[in-house]
Amino acid sequence: MLYPLYLAPMEDVTDPAFRMLCKRFGADRVYTEFVNADALVRDVAASVRKLTISDAERPVAIQIYGREPESMAEAAKIVEQAQPDFIDINFGCPVKKVAGKGAGAGLLRDVPKMLAITKAVVNAVHLPVTAKTRLGWNDQEKIIVDLAEALQDCGIRELAIHGRTRAQMYTGEADWTLIGEVKNNPRMHIPIIGNGDVTSPERARECFNKYGVDAIMIGRATFGCPWIFEDIRNYLQDGVLSQPRSMQWCVDILKEHVERSIEWIGDERKGIVHSRRHFANSPVFKGLFDFKQTRITLLRAETKDEVFAIMDEIVRKWG
């Protein structure tokens, strides 16, 4: 049995540097950061740069978001020229600057417009169009079962569902029961991708077996841990948990990520700042005794030599 594992699209996270690391460790599909459709149409350099993909990371999806069918269709045509394998529509981002302006998860409050956007994008391009959304706006409006059918009718090829409402943001627990209900709806015939709180190989297997999803999308659990894909893959295939990796091995991967980030951004300090969330959230450093001050020092470092020296000291002291 196949168990596809996807890297979730995340702003300021899934840039080429991180995507390639996740790909190396077994991510079956990767997604770009989400791209603002209006900015893309206006040819804003920072947004256009997000369309940078390479053959080495295929299959790769470029994700776009916006609030108007016309600009989303135009943006999709621009994205198509970058030749991704999929164009994904973001109907799930809950942050205020996106959802509060009627894009991302904000469209869960305007389903007719969400469907109009979907149809416009599907009709504008020849590439397969997919979508990612949430269960609904809040606990009183969990509309995903009916919404999934409507999105399918618009022509999307796959649907990824984050098991939270917009109101939950990233708090509480992801509820997979409705994801399973969508998957087991006899009227659904497109693949359903489950997302939310998959943080271990055991949980991944449970989600595949219990809810029957066609693929699992992993987001925050990848921070500072791109090898999670390899750990999950080994467990799904062989039923055996990977042996704990040495701190030195993990730190070497974190260092490589820093170097890749600096190379991608073209500025040492910005590259370090961009990869800091991975230091802050890496399981490598969690639970270390009396680590607080070292962590603060690590997160304040602004040169590669400083970062690497602190990491080497961590390995020497705690490894």
Side-chain angles (χ1 to χ4, degrees):
M1 179 177 177
L2 296 176
Y3 296 100
L5 303 172
Y6 299 162
L7 172 64
M10 293 175 283
E11 182 65 4
D12 291 329
V13 176
T14 53
D15 61 14
F18 191 58
R19 296 199 304 264
M20 287 303 299
L21 278 177
C22 291
K23 193 72 179 181
R24 184 206 302 174
F25 287 109
D28 293 294
R29 183 189 301 171
V30 296
Y31 289 67
T32 65
E33 302 170 82
F34 43 81
V35 187
N36 184 317
D38 292 331
L40 205 55
V41 171
R42 297 197 310 271
D43 201 31
V44 174
S47 295
V48 173
R49 193 162 184 260
K50 290 182 179 180
L51 305 186
T52 303
I53 57 175
S54 67
D55 287 339
E57 58 183 312
R58 294 187 186 280
V60 57
I62 293 177
Q63 189 186 72
I64 57 174
Y65 74 95
R67 59 185 180 183
E68 298 298 337
E70 296 78 12
S71 60
M72 284 289 281
E74 190 62 32
K77 293 176 183 178
I78 297 169
V79 168
E80 189 169 41
Q81 295 173 18
Q83 299 183 323
D85 299 283
F86 303 88
I87 296 176
D88 190 64
I89 308 176
N90 181 327
F91 292 137
C93 180
V95 300
K96 188 174 181 179
K97 69 177 183 179
V98 175
K101 295 180 179 179
L107 286 158
L108 288 163
R109 292 195 295 181
D110 191 347
V111 172
K113 181 175 276 191
M114 180 190 288
L115 300 182
I117 287 171
T118 306
K119 290 176 184 176
V121 172
V122 169
N123 292 334
V125 296
H126 296 95
L127 286 172
V129 175
T130 62
K132 185 173 188 284
T133 190
R134 290 183 168 232
L135 303 180
W137 181 254
N138 55 35
D139 283 345
Q140 291 72 46
E141 302 174 68
K142 292 183 177 179
I143 61 173
I144 189 59
V145 176
D146 291 336
L147 176 61
E149 285 191 47
L151 288 169
Q152 175 179 259
D153 290 344
C154 291
I156 63 168
R157 303 287 188 88
E158 292 180 356
L159 178 64
I161 304 170
H162 185 132
R164 287 182 171 86
T165 63
R166 189 274 172 174
Q168 282 182 272
M169 301 293 285
Y170 298 102
T171 63
E173 293 184 3
D175 177 6
W176 279 67
T177 55
L178 285 176
I179 299 176
E181 192 172 329
V182 172
K183 174 57 191 172
N184 293 306
N185 179 349
R187 292 183 293 276
M188 294 299 296
H189 56 77
I190 60 174
I192 300 300
I193 305 161
N195 173 228
D197 293 350
V198 177
T199 59
S200 69
E202 297 94 329
R203 179 57 175 162
R205 184 168 72 174
E206 179 184 17
C207 289
F208 273 118
N209 292 345
K210 186 173 182 179
Y211 303 104
V213 291
D214 298 284
I216 283 174
M217 184 176 277
I218 306 171
R220 288 172 293 162
T222 65
F223 289 1
C225 189
W227 53 86
I228 191 173
F229 292 101
E230 186 173 85
D231 290 348
I232 292 174
R233 170 78 58 229
N234 291 342
Y235 186 69
L236 291 173
Q237 291 179 343
D238 306 324
V240 178
L241 290 171
S242 300
Q243 290 296 311
R245 294 175 168 84
S246 71
M247 183 179 286
Q248 182 65 67
W249 184 93
C250 296
V251 164
D252 286 344
I253 299 300
L254 295 179
K255 286 181 177 180
E256 181 182 346
H257 184 199
V258 172
E259 291 179 328
R260 286 175 175 266
S261 183
I262 292 170
E263 181 181 0
W264 162 244
I265 293 176
D267 180 280
E268 182 175 14
R269 184 183 177 279
K270 289 181 180 178
I272 289 168
V273 170
H274 191 67
S275 53
R276 273 181 185 162
R277 74 176 65 224
H278 294 273
F279 309 156
N281 294 281
S282 178
V284 178
F285 303 138
K286 288 184 177 178
L288 297 182
F289 176 72
D290 198 25
F291 185 70
K292 181 178 179 181
Q293 189 54 52
T294 302
R295 182 178 184 273
I296 292 171
T297 304
L298 177 63
L299 296 180
R300 287 177 176 171
E302 295 190 351
T303 70
K304 186 175 76 170
D305 287 346
E306 284 181 272
V307 171
F308 286 10
I310 296 167
M311 287 185 174
D312 289 340
E313 178 62 17
I314 292 170
V315 173
R316 187 195 66 79
K317 187 173 180 180
W318 283 282

